[in-house]
Amino acid sequence: MSTRKRIKPSRRSQSRFPRRAAAAALAFALIASALPLQASAGDTWPFRGDSAHGQNQPSVHGYTAGHILDWTPERDPDAELLRSRVPLQPRIAPFAATQANPSLSPDVHMMNVAGDYGNAFIENAPYTNKFAQYHFNFWQYTDYYSYWHGTATAYTPPEYYDELAQKDWQQKWFEFGMLNIPNPTYTDAAHKNGVMSLAGIFFSNNDRGQQTYKQMIVKDENGNFPVAEKLIEMAKYFGYDGYFVNQEEIGPNVAVADIPDYQEFVKTLKQSGLYIQWYDSLDTDTGSNTFARTFRDNNIMFLHDKEDGQQVSDSFFFDYGMGKNQIDAAEKFLADWNAEYGTDFNLFDHGYAGLEAGRDRFKNVQGSALQAKLSESGQPRTSLATLGADFVHAGLDEDMGQGWPSSRRSENGYQWMTDIRERLWWSGPNLDPSDTAVSAQNTASDVYADNRYWPGIASVIAERSVVGGDTFRTNFNTGHGLDYYVNGKVSNGEEWSNMSLQDILPSWQWWQETDGSRLDVAFDYGRQYETGGRFDHPLIGAYEGGSSLALRGKLDAETFLRLYKTDLSLGADSTLEVTYNKNVKSDDSLMSVGLIFADAPEEVVKVEVPGSGKKTQGWKTAELDLGAYAGREVAAFGLAFAPGAKPVQDYRMNVGELRISNDAQAAPAAPTGLSIDSVYPESGEMVVNWNLDENYDDVQMYNVYVNDTFVGGKYDETFYIKNIPAQSGVVKVKAVGPDGKESAAAEAPFNLNKAPAQLKAVSGANGELTVSWTVPRSVKGDTTVGIRTVNRTTTGQPIEKTLTIPHGETKAVFKDLPENGDEYIATVSKNGLTPVSIAGTLADKVAEPYAEDWSWNGDTLSLPMPNTRDWRYLYVYEDGKLRSFPTTYNVGDRDRIIRGRTTKASLSFVSTASKVEVVLEDYSGNKSEPVVLRGE
């Protein structure tokens, strides 16, 4: 969450990753020697300006198998800030009568493998201050959400993501992890909607350099899989639900002898209670990268182990060519298998036919691919999966024909296109899930789409919902905004993004029933929001959060806008509150809440909002008594609009909040244990902690304020504030109940006007670190300066030292620190003033020597990938001469092994040299002592 900055931070004044001369040299060498290919405009690059990555902003990063093997939360950068604590919410039972298409079976499930909020492979940052990010709005059609490509591993210097790397995806000369954990804010939103969030495991020939499945399926002396055990531990800690496993590496292929161990590895994950989806890319007879696109003898062992009768994975993602013949074959194979082994496998729980969303988009081939997966009556014959449906945002520039360095998708003025394109993909060609017939002519060219071929996911997947019980509230908040509103007023005037704050969004976007003109319906982000020609009406903003629901147009007949599929129980004290804003002249129109009861789903019961035709003075809340319907179940509800005696030519209505609750509910208790963990005055950042109430039924969010300015929120026990909006005041944290009521605030005061200021930390020679500061002259007493290293990636244990500096002195010198580039936080405290901190890295003058378990088999050298934190190159000298190695994407040999880009051939090769030695070089350009592998 961003704010208008009264503090002017210098974000890069003390960068975690100081610019390396080696990076510039590498970039020059690559530009000079490579033949780059033009990347699509859908590639990613970091945000700039005020939205640039904060100096201490948490960032999701990738992991190699070696990183996973050594993983602990204490050793993992930002781990405590990258957790999702929202429990997976149960979905209500299917009810065909309230579906937009009652013929669709709820047995057809949906796997959505797509992007997860980040705009750059190095800086996939939660809750940043950028409106123009992709925010997924259609959880109701999704059962599983997974992440597939991966992100750069921790400590990759951002300068390696240079212009060349941004321009051409084949020229990213850094390491991607084989594991991509979910962005925690996406897991929050997924879980709120009953969707499982899966991490991605991905091995491919080009994108993972020297990484291979062999490093993942290693066994210990007891025959267990330590990497699998760590993956189970990581899923529990970070709060996600399982793994999507994509094994696609070739050259060499998967060794047939390794396949039983691979099977047992996957089985270990599955048996821990995690959900596992296996990408059908492995022929278990040959080990080749082959797409069967059906179940058969040479892939079934990754679903079921016939030897011990145990299930190996939960489901398969079948490659995109799965059509009638493959589905026929899969049905027969599973029927025979079930008969022989007593299993109960089917194509709805265990088979997902893939669609290449990111490649084929709205083209004719996409519609044909879907049609091939349907029965003659138009029903899916398997569950479905898509790859890259975030193209609606990520592919905008490419679809516009814009090349590098165009980035329309990261500009606020183009987000209306993302909104329409996403609705075309999910709700269908008419932007209405109740009408999914393709158009005879393309009427979507203004958003660089085509609605003549693709009927939308809503044509094949029945909508789902978590709206049950007796309480529900929404502000129609999509999780980002150009302002943040509290009680109808702007609390924070800066743009923001935070999927943790996304409400349960409408089940249908937009399903209208009318005999007259259709109203224009949209999420209203305020006057700054560009709407193109699709919603050419004035906007007013939100009531709470970043957006409200806006309806505009000619109201000439009664119109019912269906909003939510529900299973809500009404009691004698149940009420429905609707907060609305009608900012045009009064008329005799009438807005009602339309209730559809489970015992009479064909009828819409209207509860009128009295006086709703009158112009309001801002936002107005009407409370409707639902006690007359006690004992009945609301199966769906929406809003009805009637014009009165004559049509309303310019009807405008905004709805900012809908709340169904009962009088028995009280606000939660104030949070306990609030403290300011760290405040960084030089960069304007802060981290606060409190005690989490783990009963999600009572507390579902924590809102964080500085003074009365909203700076963010999350269901967690810690929060990162990117820009502190004031130099002094009070941090306030309020617990939020399921009906949206806030608790009293827990408070923690701070005052940077009197705190130590102008913090600097400089690494010197011989392991020295000098911390300096200034203080107001009026403040007396000694100063305490502490330093602690974090993440412990190099040293065995964290280093923690404290110095007491006499009054009048403003410098502390720490000695005998390691010169290994470890991260540290230095904190300066004086006489009860607000402690302030600065973060950085220690001097880096040492490269650790190669220390892996290398071995010879005759003249064949096995050279495992280095596992040190910051290695960049590994030089192999044969009788004093450098050996060259091939690189991925066939961009030529290099006279070194390059982290993330040299092929797996570097892991094992033949050498007849009499002397072989290796030298490691780190990101800072330090070279290690040689390690002799053969000879003297």
Side-chain angles (χ1 to χ4, degrees):
M1 183 75 204
S2 170
T3 59
R4 286 196 172 94
K5 295 177 288 298
R6 300 175 193 175
I7 296 173
K8 288 293 185 182
S10 175
R11 284 199 186 90
R12 301 296 177 181
S13 61
Q14 184 72 21
S15 174
R16 278 189 187 179
F17 307 109
R19 183 166 293 276
R20 320 289 195 187
L26 173 67
F28 177 80
L30 294 177
I31 292 170
S33 60
L35 296 172
L37 300 175
Q38 183 69 35
S40 72
D43 208 351
T44 61
W45 51 86
F47 291 129
R48 304 179 187 274
D50 286 344
S51 296
H53 195 263
Q55 180 180 313
N56 298 286
Q57 188 167 1
S59 184
V60 177
H61 44 270
Y63 302 79
T64 68
H67 297 148
I68 298 167
L69 191 61
D70 293 337
W71 183 85
T72 65
E74 296 79 15
R75 292 168 63 90
D76 191 1
D78 304 322
E80 72 283 355
L81 288 162
L82 296 174
R83 305 176 72 183
S84 172
R85 312 301 288 274
V86 176
L88 181 67
Q89 296 302 289
R91 284 178 157 173
I92 63 174
F95 187 45
T98 57
Q99 292 176 186
N101 182 348
S103 70
L104 292 179
S105 169
D107 294 336
V108 182
H109 304 302
M110 179 71 199
M111 168 65 145
N112 186 3
V113 182
D116 62 337
Y117 191 85
N119 196 60
F121 289 119
I122 284 180
E123 296 170 354
N124 180 1
Y127 34 89
T128 192
N129 53 332
K130 183 68 177 176
F131 173 70
Q133 294 197 103
Y134 180 53
H135 281 63
F136 182 55
N137 289 337
F138 288 87
W139 298 104
Q140 66 270 32
Y141 299 111
T142 302
D143 297 285
Y144 308 96
Y145 198 103
S146 182
Y147 318 90
W148 69 279
H149 184 278
T151 53
T153 50
Y155 303 106
T156 302
E159 54 265 30
Y160 280 84
Y161 204 53
D162 58 17
E163 182 171 310
L164 181 66
Q166 297 173 45
K167 182 178 181 181
D168 183 352
W169 56 275
Q170 295 185 2
Q171 298 299 325
K172 290 175 172 58
W173 290 80
F174 51 79
E175 179 183 64
F176 290 94
M178 48 69 68
L179 171 65
N180 182 184
I181 69 170
N183 183 301
T185 64
Y186 252 63
T187 301
D188 285 351
H191 281 182
K192 284 195 286 186
N193 286 274
V195 176
M196 285 193 181
S197 176
L198 308 183
I201 294 174
F202 181 31
F203 290 101
S204 73
N205 218 42
N206 285 314
D207 297 294
R208 296 300 175 269
Q210 302 93 338
Q211 296 175 74
T212 170
Y213 74 93
K214 284 179 174 289
Q215 299 151 358
M216 183 179 72
I217 65 169
V218 293
K219 292 195 289 188
D220 62 18
E221 63 276 9
N222 298 317
N224 298 319
F225 297 94
V227 173
E229 292 170 357
K230 284 292 184 179
L231 287 171
I232 295 166
E233 186 181 347
M234 291 175 73
K236 182 177 180 180
Y237 179 83
F238 288 114
Y240 55 86
D241 306 292
Y243 293 95
F244 171 60
V245 185
N246 183 358
Q247 173 60 56
E248 289 193 78
E249 63 182 285
I250 58 175
N253 296 327
V254 174
V256 174
D258 290 338
I259 290 177
D261 281 349
Y262 211 145
Q263 179 193 41
E264 289 300 313
F265 177 92
V266 176
K267 191 188 298 181
T268 299
L269 298 177
K270 158 72 178 163
Q271 290 178 346
S272 74
L274 296 173
Y275 185 92
I276 308 299
Q277 186 164 100
W278 174 262
Y279 185 52
D280 177 41
S281 56
L282 179 62
D283 183 325
T284 56
D285 288 343
T286 65
S288 65
N289 183 223
T290 301
F291 305 101
R293 303 184 178 97
T294 190
F295 282 117
R296 58 190 186 187
D297 286 330
N298 62 4
N299 65 9
I300 191 65
M301 67 181 291
F302 277 92
L303 179 69
H304 181 245
D305 186 346
K306 65 182 181 182
E307 301 299 329
D308 62 11
Q310 295 179 339
Q311 195 167 336
V312 180
S313 66
D314 289 277
S315 60
F316 269 37
F317 183 130
F318 288 110
D319 191 59
Y320 314 108
M322 189 181 200
K324 180 183 184 305
N325 292 339
Q326 291 84 0
I327 295 172
D328 288 346
E331 287 179 340
K332 183 179 186 306
F333 184 92
L334 288 182
D336 292 344
W337 192 270
N338 291 338
E340 183 172 359
Y341 296 105
T343 52
D344 190 26
F345 296 122
N346 62 76
L347 286 179
F348 296 108
D349 292 327
H350 310 292
Y352 288 69
L355 293 163
E356 230 294 10
R359 181 191 66 195
D360 298 335
R361 305 189 182 182
F362 296 109
K363 300 172 186 175
N364 185 23
V365 65
Q366 190 76 273
S368 298
L370 178 61
Q371 189 64 36
K373 298 165 177 51
L374 307 182
S375 67
E376 292 183 359
S377 62
Q379 301 296 309
R381 299 179 61 197
T382 73
S383 286
L384 299 173
T386 59
L387 173 67
D390 56 323
F391 81 87
V392 297
H393 177 78
L396 178 60
D397 293 271
E398 186 177 9
D399 288 347
M400 293 177 71
Q402 299 286 321
W404 169 266
S406 171
S407 183
R408 301 301 189 204
R409 71 190 185 115
S410 63
E411 298 178 20
N412 293 345
Y414 289 84
Q415 298 316 295
W416 69 274
M417 291 189 183
T418 291
D419 178 67
I420 298 298
R421 286 159 59 93
E422 184 181 43
R423 200 168 300 127
L424 286 166
W425 178 260
W426 294 94
S427 293
N430 303 299
L431 308 179
D432 180 349
S434 69
D435 178 11
T436 57
V438 296
S439 176
Q441 296 182 339
N442 183 20
T443 60
S445 59
D446 60 329
V447 294
Y448 302 90
D450 196 326
N451 60 346
R452 293 176 295 174
Y453 311 111
W454 176 247
I457 295 295
S459 70
V460 287
I461 299 292
E463 57 274 24
R464 294 88 155 91
S465 175
V466 293
V467 183
D470 60 6
T471 302
F472 175 68
R473 165 185 169 264
T474 182
N475 294 115
F476 305 99
N477 181 9
T478 62
H480 63 161
L482 295 164
D483 306 278
Y484 194 95
Y485 295 76
V486 174
N487 293 325
K489 304 293 183 183
V490 173
S491 173
N492 189 318
E494 295 293 321
E495 61 186 281
W496 60 278
S497 296
N498 184 350
M499 280 290 280
S500 296
L501 293 173
Q502 187 183 70
D503 286 336
I504 305 299
L505 297 178
S507 305
W508 305 287
Q509 300 178 39
W510 305 105
W511 180 5
Q512 293 186 58
E513 297 170 327
T514 183
D515 292 329
S517 303
R518 290 172 60 88
L519 295 172
D520 290 331
V521 188
F523 294 116
D524 184 336
Y525 297 100
R527 288 177 294 175
Q528 301 177 67
Y529 183 60
E530 298 288 341
T531 62
R534 291 279 184 146
F535 196 89
D536 192 19
H537 307 285
L539 300 177
I540 65 172
Y543 173 69
E544 191 82 22
S547 49
S548 63
L549 181 68
L551 300 102
R552 305 284 190 270
K554 184 178 181 180
L555 182 61
D556 52 12
E558 185 175 68
T559 298
F560 181 45
L561 178 67
R562 296 193 181 222
L563 290 175
Y564 286 98
K565 187 178 181 68
T566 65
D567 185 10
L568 288 166
S569 301
L570 298 184
D573 55 357
S574 293
T575 61
L576 188 150
E577 295 177 27
V578 53
T579 300
Y580 65 98
N581 190 331
K582 188 175 185 295
N583 66 344
V584 291
K585 64 182 181 179
S586 298
D587 50 49
D588 59 352
S589 65
L590 178 66
M591 177 172 67
S592 302
V593 174
L595 304 175
I596 298 173
F597 292 102
D599 56 9
E602 70 287 347
E603 179 185 2
V604 179
V605 177
K606 299 181 182 65
V607 183
E608 296 181 358
V609 180
S612 53
K614 295 181 180 179
K615 179 180 179 180
T616 60
Q617 302 300 316
W619 293 95
K620 180 179 180 179
T621 298
E623 181 176 308
L624 309 179
D625 185 356
L626 302 183
Y629 310 105
R632 300 182 73 182
E633 305 290 324
V634 179
F637 75 89
L639 294 170
F641 308 90
K646 60 181 181 178
V648 181
Q649 298 298 323
D650 184 20
Y651 184 75
R652 303 184 200 176
M653 177 66 76
N654 276 68
V655 182
E657 184 170 82
L658 292 172
R659 184 203 314 261
I660 296 176
S661 61
N662 58 72
D663 292 340
Q665 295 174 341
T672 61
L674 176 63
S675 65
I676 297 175
D677 175 81
S678 52
V679 56
Y680 302 92
E682 303 307 309
S683 58
E685 299 165 285
M686 181 184 287
V687 176
V688 296
N689 298 331
W690 59 89
N691 296 325
L692 176 69
D693 185 332
E694 296 188 5
N695 188 340
Y696 191 73
D697 290 337
D698 293 339
V699 175
Q700 299 188 349
M701 180 65 66
Y702 291 92
N703 288 339
V704 184
Y705 301 83
V706 173
N707 298 329
D708 291 319
T709 298
F710 184 89
V711 293
K714 198 174 188 297
Y715 179 70
D716 205 342
E717 58 193 0
T718 185
F719 194 80
Y720 162 83
I721 302 170
K722 187 171 183 178
N723 289 311
I724 312 168
Q727 286 279 65
S728 63
V730 179
V731 175
K732 302 177 182 180
V733 177
K734 300 179 181 181
V736 183
D739 62 350
K741 293 178 183 176
E742 285 188 325
S743 72
E747 298 186 353
F750 71 99
N751 188 345
L752 299 182
N753 293 315
K754 293 184 178 180
Q758 298 182 36
L759 270 68
K760 294 181 181 179
V762 179
S763 295
N766 303 316
E768 290 189 355
L769 178 72
T770 301
V771 180
S772 61
W773 63 93
T774 62
V775 291
R777 292 182 179 180
S778 59
V779 180
K780 307 298 181 183
D782 296 342
T783 301
T784 300
V785 184
I787 180 174
R788 58 185 174 93
T789 56
V790 292
N791 305 325
R792 305 208 316 264
T793 53
T794 303
T795 54
Q797 294 294 325
I799 294 169
E800 192 161 354
K801 295 187 176 185
T802 301
L803 296 175
T804 300
I805 306 301
H807 174 68
E809 296 185 21
T810 57
K811 182 171 69 175
V813 180
F814 294 89
K815 298 183 178 182
D816 300 321
L817 297 172
E819 296 181 295
N820 57 8
D822 269 1
E823 294 178 293
Y824 67 82
I825 296 174
T827 301
V828 181
S829 306
K830 189 176 178 73
N831 273 7
L833 301 181
T834 300
V836 292
S837 301
I838 188 168
T841 55
L842 299 175
D844 191 356
K845 297 185 178 180
V846 178
E848 299 171 66
Y850 183 74
E852 309 308 321
D853 291 330
W854 53 271
S855 63
W856 289 92
N857 183 7
D859 285 334
T860 300
L861 173 63
S862 294
L863 199 64
M865 189 172 68
N867 203 36
T868 56
R869 180 192 72 186
D870 62 346
W871 80 279
R872 181 56 181 156
Y873 304 123
L874 178 63
Y875 301 94
V876 178
Y877 292 89
E878 296 175 302
D879 295 330
K881 294 184 179 180
L882 282 171
R883 182 184 180 98
S884 292
F885 296 89
T887 56
T888 59
Y889 294 111
N890 299 313
V891 294
D893 291 355
R894 298 292 190 274
D895 64 352
R896 66 200 70 182
I897 293 173
I898 302 172
R899 182 175 182 173
R901 285 306 303 267
T902 303
T903 67
K904 291 186 294 295
S906 64
L907 299 175
S908 182
F909 55 87
V910 173
S911 177
T912 58
S914 58
K915 183 177 183 179
V916 179
E917 54 187 341
V918 293
V919 173
L920 275 176
E921 181 177 331
D922 65 17
Y923 284 133
S924 294
N926 302 307
K927 290 188 176 181
S928 72
E929 292 296 318
V931 174
V932 178
L933 307 184
R934 173 190 275 176
E936 297 296 330

